[in-house]
Amino acid sequence: MDFDFKQQGAVTLAEVAEAAGVGESTVSRVLRNEGSFSRKARERVLEAVERLGYVPNRIAGTLASAGSRLVAFVVPSLSNIVFPDVLRGASGVLEQNRHQAVFSVTDYDLEREEALVAAMLAWRPTAVMLAGFEHTQGTLKMLRASGCRVVEVLDVDGAALDLAVGFSNRAAGQASAEFLLKRGYRRIGYVGHDIDRDTRAGKRFAAFGETLASAGSPLVDREICSGASSVESGRLGLERLLDRHADLDAVYFSNDDMAIGGYFHCLARGISIPSQLAIFGYNGLDIGRVTPQPLSTIRTPRVATGQLAAEFVVTNAPPQVVDLGFELVEGATA
């Protein structure tokens, strides 16, 4: 069957007002659910909107209003649950307060982050949320000149531009090393992803290594996997590390995805955990709790971070840095 589709212009606010028999300002108030209007007028407007298929022009609304309700998220990755958890926490608070979240992904590329921040600021958001404190000079200059609130999340080890919510990655790395040392492990290795691009993982790794060295048990070796972190890269990374150092007694992974990959490698090779090799992760993902041996790891408050960051935006909180801390999960792999 052939269809004759004729392209038409978008339905306008004026057309909705005409169809409902009310003024444009009444339509606008009904759609924003603000101001005064009768129940009968509301019913006529909503019936006209549904019949005509009208979609409000939020850009026009933003430009016409004194303050935008758009909140821009610029995140490094969506390849694991970490950043979606932050978005989930924030979006619930924003939705309750009638703010709209939009997001873009940098793939841990600071130049790309700069380009995306420029694109987002062109929409005049009320706030921009980013991961961590490390940005290009261009990004910093734009954010300082933007006039909008800036919230940096998932880190407190640095100087905030405005608001910051998260936890200390350096303290997490130190706590991980202290835990393994306390358990008697001395020949310790590391498997991680690109710590130059993921600066928060780099901070954890640096503090982990410093803590081992100060205790007289320096890191034996490390295996840095190219590309994004994943279960597969963790499995392959541990395999390569053990090919070089079969006598390691513990391995610290940059996150739980990588650690689960290491866990699978041990299962496949018959390596007993933790008697032959201990495994320690980071993030406290759900999958780590349901493995035959629950993963030893650091659990981070990702959803709570997003919630508090959003609350700061909707309440126009004064500049501050909030450390939500983390939880060391002993698990059964170390």
Side-chain angles (χ1 to χ4, degrees):
M1 182 180 295
D2 295 328
F3 292 91
D4 181 18
F5 178 81
K6 183 172 72 173
Q7 182 71 39
Q8 297 180 345
V11 176
T12 66
L13 187 77
E15 290 173 309
V16 173
E18 182 179 359
V22 299
E24 292 182 30
S25 60
T26 299
V27 175
S28 181
R29 289 196 298 274
V30 169
L31 295 180
R32 296 199 311 270
N33 196 28
E34 292 179 349
S36 61
F37 47 83
S38 68
R39 186 175 70 177
K40 188 172 183 179
R42 179 178 183 275
E43 290 173 352
R44 290 204 304 266
V45 168
L46 295 181
E47 187 279 329
V49 166
E50 181 177 1
R51 175 162 48 87
L52 297 175
Y54 174 69
V55 178
N57 185 340
R58 297 302 185 194
I59 300 176
T62 293
L63 295 176
S65 66
S68 167
R69 291 184 178 271
L70 191 71
V71 178
F73 289 82
V74 183
V75 300
S77 172
L78 295 176
S79 63
N80 62 34
I81 199 63
V82 172
F83 296 104
D85 271 353
V86 175
L87 294 172
R88 178 161 59 91
S91 62
V93 174
L94 294 176
E95 184 177 346
Q96 291 172 6
N97 290 274
R98 301 175 61 200
H99 284 64
Q100 178 65 51
V102 294
F103 69 89
S104 55
V105 180
T106 69
D107 293 323
Y108 290 99
D109 184 335
L110 293 183
E111 296 298 330
R112 179 172 172 78
E113 179 186 74
E114 180 177 336
L116 291 171
V117 166
M120 290 292 192
L121 289 177
W123 293 74
R124 299 299 187 266
T126 191
V128 177
M129 294 194 189
L130 311 96
F133 299 123
E134 290 71 37
H135 316 290
T136 66
Q137 287 302 311
T139 298
L140 294 172
K141 184 176 181 180
M142 285 188 291
L143 290 172
R144 290 185 178 118
S146 68
C148 72
R149 302 308 302 270
V150 177
V151 190
E152 294 159 301
V153 299
L154 300 178
D155 203 358
V156 296
D157 301 317
L161 281 169
D162 180 8
L163 296 157
V165 183
F167 34 84
S168 172
N169 285 273
R170 286 192 57 84
Q174 178 181 339
S176 303
E178 290 173 345
F179 175 80
L180 293 175
L181 291 167
K182 185 178 179 180
R183 292 298 176 97
Y185 300 108
R186 293 297 180 268
R187 291 194 54 77
I188 302 173
Y190 175 83
V191 174
H193 54 291
D194 191 340
I195 56 178
D196 292 323
R197 289 163 66 92
D198 185 346
T199 56
R200 288 165 301 286
K203 291 176 182 179
R204 294 193 299 274
F205 173 68
F208 183 83
E210 291 165 8
T211 304
L212 293 184
S214 65
S217 299
L219 189 76
V220 174
D221 196 2
R222 68 180 187 176
E223 178 65 31
I224 304 298
C225 305
S226 61
S229 67
S230 68
V231 173
E232 182 179 14
S233 60
R235 182 181 66 82
L236 295 174
L238 180 59
E239 181 179 26
R240 290 192 291 266
L241 184 63
L242 291 179
D243 282 344
R244 299 195 300 270
H245 302 281
D247 60 342
L248 292 177
D249 56 19
V251 175
Y252 176 49
F253 289 81
S254 61
N255 59 36
D256 283 1
D257 288 338
M258 305 281 282
I260 291 296
Y263 183 86
F264 288 158
H265 173 74
C266 292
L267 291 181
R269 293 298 178 89
I271 299 172
S272 178
I273 301 172
S275 59
Q276 288 180 271
L277 185 70
I279 288 177
F280 198 91
Y282 174 81
N283 271 327
L285 303 186
D286 289 343
I287 188 174
R289 296 204 301 267
V290 299
T291 50
Q293 294 164 279
L295 185 65
S296 302
T297 187
I298 295 284
R299 181 176 296 132
T300 55
R302 301 176 297 279
V303 174
T305 293
Q307 290 172 334
L308 185 57
E311 289 170 7
F312 280 167
V313 169
V314 300
T315 61
N316 196 28
Q320 58 191 289
V321 176
V322 177
D323 185 349
L324 294 177
F326 53 81
E327 177 189 359
L328 194 149
V329 180
E330 293 193 2
T333 60

PDB file of all heavy atoms in Angstrom, residues 219-241:
ATOM      1  N   LEU A 219      54.364  -1.991  44.876  1.00  0.00           N
ATOM      2  CA  LEU A 219      53.616  -2.696  43.839  1.00  0.00           C
ATOM      3  C   LEU A 219      54.573  -3.505  42.968  1.00  0.00           C
ATOM      4  O   LEU A 219      55.587  -2.988  42.499  1.00  0.00           O
ATOM      5  CB  LEU A 219      52.851  -1.683  42.974  1.00  0.00           C
ATOM      6  CG  LEU A 219      51.843  -2.248  41.982  1.00  0.00           C
ATOM      7  CD1 LEU A 219      50.576  -2.701  42.710  1.00  0.00           C
ATOM      8  CD2 LEU A 219      51.480  -1.177  40.942  1.00  0.00           C
ATOM      9  N   VAL A 220      54.259  -4.766  42.728  1.00  0.00           N
ATOM     10  CA  VAL A 220      55.133  -5.635  41.943  1.00  0.00           C
ATOM     11  C   VAL A 220      55.094  -5.251  40.468  1.00  0.00           C
ATOM     12  O   VAL A 220      56.134  -5.097  39.813  1.00  0.00           O
ATOM     13  CB  VAL A 220      54.741  -7.116  42.127  1.00  0.00           C
ATOM     14  CG1 VAL A 220      55.562  -8.010  41.187  1.00  0.00           C
ATOM     15  CG2 VAL A 220      54.936  -7.534  43.572  1.00  0.00           C
ATOM     16  N   ASP A 221      53.895  -5.070  39.927  1.00  0.00           N
ATOM     17  CA  ASP A 221      53.769  -4.746  38.500  1.00  0.00           C
ATOM     18  C   ASP A 221      52.343  -4.301  38.239  1.00  0.00           C
ATOM     19  O   ASP A 221      51.444  -4.473  39.078  1.00  0.00           O
ATOM     20  CB  ASP A 221      54.102  -5.979  37.646  1.00  0.00           C
ATOM     21  CG  ASP A 221      54.383  -5.631  36.178  1.00  0.00           C
ATOM     22  OD1 ASP A 221      54.363  -4.418  35.830  1.00  0.00           O
ATOM     23  OD2 ASP A 221      54.620  -6.559  35.390  1.00  0.00           O
ATOM     24  N   ARG A 222      52.124  -3.726  37.083  1.00  0.00           N
ATOM     25  CA  ARG A 222      50.783  -3.307  36.684  1.00  0.00           C
ATOM     26  C   ARG A 222      50.532  -3.683  35.245  1.00  0.00           C
ATOM     27  O   ARG A 222      51.451  -3.775  34.428  1.00  0.00           O
ATOM     28  CB  ARG A 222      50.613  -1.803  36.864  1.00  0.00           C
ATOM     29  CG  ARG A 222      51.459  -0.963  35.916  1.00  0.00           C
ATOM     30  CD  ARG A 222      51.223   0.514  36.154  1.00  0.00           C
ATOM     31  NE  ARG A 222      51.890   1.351  35.170  1.00  0.00           N
ATOM     32  CZ  ARG A 222      51.784   2.667  35.113  1.00  0.00           C
ATOM     33  NH1 ARG A 222      51.031   3.304  36.005  1.00  0.00           N
ATOM     34  NH2 ARG A 222      52.421   3.363  34.192  1.00  0.00           N
ATOM     35  N   GLU A 223      49.272  -3.873  34.906  1.00  0.00           N
ATOM     36  CA  GLU A 223      48.855  -4.150  33.529  1.00  0.00           C
ATOM     37  C   GLU A 223      47.752  -3.153  33.190  1.00  0.00           C
ATOM     38  O   GLU A 223      46.650  -3.199  33.747  1.00  0.00           O
ATOM     39  CB  GLU A 223      48.335  -5.581  33.393  1.00  0.00           C
ATOM     40  CG  GLU A 223      47.835  -5.933  32.003  1.00  0.00           C
ATOM     41  CD  GLU A 223      48.925  -5.921  30.929  1.00  0.00           C
ATOM     42  OE1 GLU A 223      50.092  -6.225  31.270  1.00  0.00           O
ATOM     43  OE2 GLU A 223      48.615  -5.609  29.756  1.00  0.00           O
ATOM     44  N   ILE A 224      48.059  -2.216  32.292  1.00  0.00           N
ATOM     45  CA  ILE A 224      47.099  -1.198  31.865  1.00  0.00           C
ATOM     46  C   ILE A 224      46.505  -1.611  30.526  1.00  0.00           C
ATOM     47  O   ILE A 224      47.233  -1.762  29.535  1.00  0.00           O
ATOM     48  CB  ILE A 224      47.754   0.187  31.755  1.00  0.00           C
ATOM     49  CG1 ILE A 224      48.408   0.568  33.090  1.00  0.00           C
ATOM     50  CG2 ILE A 224      46.717   1.224  31.338  1.00  0.00           C
ATOM     51  CD1 ILE A 224      47.447   0.679  34.250  1.00  0.00           C
ATOM     52  N   CYS A 225      45.210  -1.806  30.492  1.00  0.00           N
ATOM     53  CA  CYS A 225      44.522  -2.258  29.285  1.00  0.00           C
ATOM     54  C   CYS A 225      44.061  -1.052  28.469  1.00  0.00           C
ATOM     55  O   CYS A 225      43.578  -0.069  29.025  1.00  0.00           O
ATOM     56  CB  CYS A 225      43.317  -3.123  29.654  1.00  0.00           C
ATOM     57  SG  CYS A 225      43.724  -4.528  30.710  1.00  0.00           S
ATOM     58  N   SER A 226      44.199  -1.130  27.177  1.00  0.00           N
ATOM     59  CA  SER A 226      43.753  -0.044  26.300  1.00  0.00           C
ATOM     60  C   SER A 226      42.233  -0.070  26.178  1.00  0.00           C
ATOM     61  O   SER A 226      41.590  -1.107  26.352  1.00  0.00           O
ATOM     62  CB  SER A 226      44.401  -0.178  24.926  1.00  0.00           C
ATOM     63  OG  SER A 226      44.033  -1.410  24.331  1.00  0.00           O
ATOM     64  N   GLY A 227      41.676   1.073  25.850  1.00  0.00           N
ATOM     65  CA  GLY A 227      40.232   1.153  25.668  1.00  0.00           C
ATOM     66  C   GLY A 227      39.480   1.254  26.986  1.00  0.00           C
ATOM     67  O   GLY A 227      40.066   1.386  28.064  1.00  0.00           O
ATOM     68  N   ALA A 228      38.162   1.171  26.876  1.00  0.00           N
ATOM     69  CA  ALA A 228      37.303   1.302  28.050  1.00  0.00           C
ATOM     70  C   ALA A 228      37.418   0.073  28.941  1.00  0.00           C
ATOM     71  O   ALA A 228      37.769  -1.020  28.489  1.00  0.00           O
ATOM     72  CB  ALA A 228      35.850   1.492  27.610  1.00  0.00           C
ATOM     73  N   SER A 229      37.133   0.270  30.220  1.00  0.00           N
ATOM     74  CA  SER A 229      37.151  -0.863  31.139  1.00  0.00           C
ATOM     75  C   SER A 229      35.992  -1.803  30.803  1.00  0.00           C
ATOM     76  O   SER A 229      34.923  -1.379  30.377  1.00  0.00           O
ATOM     77  CB  SER A 229      37.027  -0.377  32.585  1.00  0.00           C
ATOM     78  OG  SER A 229      35.753   0.190  32.813  1.00  0.00           O
ATOM     79  N   SER A 230      36.216  -3.100  31.011  1.00  0.00           N
ATOM     80  CA  SER A 230      35.190  -4.104  30.734  1.00  0.00           C
ATOM     81  C   SER A 230      35.560  -5.392  31.439  1.00  0.00           C
ATOM     82  O   SER A 230      36.691  -5.576  31.895  1.00  0.00           O
ATOM     83  CB  SER A 230      35.065  -4.353  29.221  1.00  0.00           C
ATOM     84  OG  SER A 230      36.240  -4.979  28.726  1.00  0.00           O
ATOM     85  N   VAL A 231      34.612  -6.294  31.510  1.00  0.00           N
ATOM     86  CA  VAL A 231      34.872  -7.612  32.089  1.00  0.00           C
ATOM     87  C   VAL A 231      35.943  -8.329  31.275  1.00  0.00           C
ATOM     88  O   VAL A 231      36.874  -8.934  31.828  1.00  0.00           O
ATOM     89  CB  VAL A 231      33.569  -8.434  32.135  1.00  0.00           C
ATOM     90  CG1 VAL A 231      33.857  -9.873  32.565  1.00  0.00           C
ATOM     91  CG2 VAL A 231      32.565  -7.793  33.089  1.00  0.00           C
ATOM     92  N   GLU A 232      35.835  -8.253  29.957  1.00  0.00           N
ATOM     93  CA  GLU A 232      36.805  -8.940  29.100  1.00  0.00           C
ATOM     94  C   GLU A 232      38.215  -8.388  29.287  1.00  0.00           C
ATOM     95  O   GLU A 232      39.182  -9.157  29.378  1.00  0.00           O
ATOM     96  CB  GLU A 232      36.405  -8.820  27.635  1.00  0.00           C
ATOM     97  CG  GLU A 232      37.353  -9.562  26.698  1.00  0.00           C
ATOM     98  CD  GLU A 232      36.940  -9.465  25.242  1.00  0.00           C
ATOM     99  OE1 GLU A 232      36.089  -8.610  24.923  1.00  0.00           O
ATOM    100  OE2 GLU A 232      37.474 -10.228  24.429  1.00  0.00           O
ATOM    101  N   SER A 233      38.351  -7.051  29.357  1.00  0.00           N
ATOM    102  CA  SER A 233      39.686  -6.489  29.520  1.00  0.00           C
ATOM    103  C   SER A 233      40.270  -6.852  30.885  1.00  0.00           C
ATOM    104  O   SER A 233      41.480  -7.039  31.021  1.00  0.00           O
ATOM    105  CB  SER A 233      39.656  -4.971  29.329  1.00  0.00           C
ATOM    106  OG  SER A 233      38.809  -4.347  30.267  1.00  0.00           O
ATOM    107  N   GLY A 234      39.432  -6.986  31.898  1.00  0.00           N
ATOM    108  CA  GLY A 234      39.920  -7.424  33.195  1.00  0.00           C
ATOM    109  C   GLY A 234      40.425  -8.857  33.162  1.00  0.00           C
ATOM    110  O   GLY A 234      41.453  -9.178  33.766  1.00  0.00           O
ATOM    111  N   ARG A 235      39.729  -9.711  32.443  1.00  0.00           N
ATOM    112  CA  ARG A 235      40.164 -11.109  32.324  1.00  0.00           C
ATOM    113  C   ARG A 235      41.482 -11.206  31.578  1.00  0.00           C
ATOM    114  O   ARG A 235      42.431 -11.874  32.021  1.00  0.00           O
ATOM    115  CB  ARG A 235      39.096 -11.925  31.593  1.00  0.00           C
ATOM    116  CG  ARG A 235      39.440 -13.408  31.452  1.00  0.00           C
ATOM    117  CD  ARG A 235      38.359 -14.151  30.693  1.00  0.00           C
ATOM    118  NE  ARG A 235      38.272 -13.702  29.309  1.00  0.00           N
ATOM    119  CZ  ARG A 235      39.075 -14.125  28.323  1.00  0.00           C
ATOM    120  NH1 ARG A 235      40.055 -14.993  28.596  1.00  0.00           N
ATOM    121  NH2 ARG A 235      38.921 -13.677  27.100  1.00  0.00           N
ATOM    122  N   LEU A 236      41.573 -10.509  30.448  1.00  0.00           N
ATOM    123  CA  LEU A 236      42.804 -10.556  29.658  1.00  0.00           C
ATOM    124  C   LEU A 236      43.960  -9.871  30.389  1.00  0.00           C
ATOM    125  O   LEU A 236      45.111 -10.320  30.315  1.00  0.00           O
ATOM    126  CB  LEU A 236      42.575  -9.899  28.300  1.00  0.00           C
ATOM    127  CG  LEU A 236      41.581 -10.604  27.374  1.00  0.00           C
ATOM    128  CD1 LEU A 236      41.336  -9.772  26.116  1.00  0.00           C
ATOM    129  CD2 LEU A 236      42.087 -11.992  26.997  1.00  0.00           C
ATOM    130  N   GLY A 237      43.653  -8.777  31.089  1.00  0.00           N
ATOM    131  CA  GLY A 237      44.692  -8.068  31.827  1.00  0.00           C
ATOM    132  C   GLY A 237      45.300  -8.919  32.925  1.00  0.00           C
ATOM    133  O   GLY A 237      46.527  -8.945  33.103  1.00  0.00           O
ATOM    134  N   LEU A 238      44.449  -9.644  33.671  1.00  0.00           N
ATOM    135  CA  LEU A 238      44.979 -10.511  34.723  1.00  0.00           C
ATOM    136  C   LEU A 238      45.797 -11.653  34.123  1.00  0.00           C
ATOM    137  O   LEU A 238      46.851 -12.021  34.668  1.00  0.00           O
ATOM    138  CB  LEU A 238      43.842 -11.069  35.574  1.00  0.00           C
ATOM    139  CG  LEU A 238      44.295 -11.991  36.719  1.00  0.00           C
ATOM    140  CD1 LEU A 238      45.243 -11.256  37.666  1.00  0.00           C
ATOM    141  CD2 LEU A 238      43.093 -12.549  37.481  1.00  0.00           C
ATOM    142  N   GLU A 239      45.347 -12.183  33.012  1.00  0.00           N
ATOM    143  CA  GLU A 239      46.097 -13.261  32.355  1.00  0.00           C
ATOM    144  C   GLU A 239      47.503 -12.791  31.989  1.00  0.00           C
ATOM    145  O   GLU A 239      48.494 -13.499  32.256  1.00  0.00           O
ATOM    146  CB  GLU A 239      45.362 -13.729  31.103  1.00  0.00           C
ATOM    147  CG  GLU A 239      46.058 -14.864  30.368  1.00  0.00           C
ATOM    148  CD  GLU A 239      45.289 -15.322  29.141  1.00  0.00           C
ATOM    149  OE1 GLU A 239      44.528 -14.500  28.568  1.00  0.00           O
ATOM    150  OE2 GLU A 239      45.442 -16.490  28.761  1.00  0.00           O
ATOM    151  N   ARG A 240      47.616 -11.605  31.414  1.00  0.00           N
ATOM    152  CA  ARG A 240      48.933 -11.092  31.025  1.00  0.00           C
ATOM    153  C   ARG A 240      49.800 -10.804  32.249  1.00  0.00           C
ATOM    154  O   ARG A 240      51.011 -11.064  32.250  1.00  0.00           O
ATOM    155  CB  ARG A 240      48.774  -9.836  30.164  1.00  0.00           C
ATOM    156  CG  ARG A 240      48.206 -10.105  28.777  1.00  0.00           C
ATOM    157  CD  ARG A 240      48.337  -8.885  27.879  1.00  0.00           C
ATOM    158  NE  ARG A 240      47.476  -7.796  28.303  1.00  0.00           N
ATOM    159  CZ  ARG A 240      46.254  -7.575  27.817  1.00  0.00           C
ATOM    160  NH1 ARG A 240      45.755  -8.391  26.893  1.00  0.00           N
ATOM    161  NH2 ARG A 240      45.546  -6.551  28.230  1.00  0.00           N
ATOM    162  N   LEU A 241      49.189 -10.265  33.296  1.00  0.00           N
ATOM    163  CA  LEU A 241      49.948  -9.950  34.503  1.00  0.00           C
ATOM    164  C   LEU A 241      50.490 -11.231  35.154  1.00  0.00           C
ATOM    165  O   LEU A 241      51.653 -11.282  35.571  1.00  0.00           O
ATOM    166  CB  LEU A 241      49.060  -9.187  35.489  1.00  0.00           C
ATOM    167  CG  LEU A 241      49.730  -8.702  36.778  1.00  0.00           C
ATOM    168  CD1 LEU A 241      50.845  -7.702  36.471  1.00  0.00           C
ATOM    169  CD2 LEU A 241      48.695  -8.076  37.713  1.00  0.00           C
TER     170      LEU A 241
END
